[in-house]
Amino acid sequence: MDTTQLLKGVLDLAVLAVLRDEDGYGYDILRRLRAAGLDEVGDASVYGTLRRLFQSGFLTTYVVPSEEGPHRKYYSLNAAGRDQLNRSTKVWREFASTMDTLLDDRGMAA
């Protein structure tokens, strides 16, 4: 199965989840997603997702000076973003449960 197609559908949720407990800048968020096991996530996809989530009102940003190069734009989950994370988490869990049931019924689950 091509996991890149699955990833496209859940990247918003993954980014919101990564920002739940700690703000982050673009590369840091990408690194955390990969460390969590989403190895195939692309740089451009993450940066595009951050822009889209910000424009949708789910994230706030602030700039932190860096001694090792250009300033870094940090992203933070705001109240609307936390609400979206909660809604999306519920949808994901219901969907995953449905798929687990479907696969179990067909005798294909591990």
Side-chain angles (χ1 to χ4, degrees):
M1 174 177 271
D2 183 8
T3 57
T4 58
Q5 291 301 314
L6 293 172
L7 186 56
K8 286 180 184 179
V10 297
L11 189 53
D12 286 11
L13 176 57
V15 168
L16 292 172
V18 163
L19 291 171
R20 175 183 41 229
D21 297 323
E22 183 181 0
D23 299 352
Y25 56 94
Y27 182 74
D28 175 55
I29 293 165
L30 177 66
R31 182 189 54 76
R32 286 194 256 165
L33 289 167
R34 288 179 176 163
L38 300 178
D39 300 327
E40 295 180 24
V41 68
D43 300 20
S45 295
V46 171
Y47 287 104
T49 298
L50 289 167
R51 277 191 302 277
R52 188 174 58 259
L53 291 171
F54 174 74
Q55 291 170 347
S56 296
F58 300 136
L59 302 177
T60 55
T61 63
Y62 57 95
V63 176
V64 175
S66 173
E67 295 178 11
E68 300 175 3
H71 299 324
R72 292 182 174 152
K73 180 191 272 189
Y74 277 75
Y75 293 87
S76 175
L77 203 57
N78 59 25
R82 290 188 187 284
D83 289 343
Q84 181 64 24
L85 174 60
N86 290 333
R87 285 190 302 273
S88 295
T89 297
K90 181 180 178 188
V91 169
W92 172 257
R93 288 191 172 141
E94 289 171 358
F95 178 77
S97 176
T98 298
M99 289 303 299
D100 285 343
T101 299
L102 179 63
L103 293 172
D104 286 346
D105 288 349
R106 304 283 185 240
M108 299 178 72

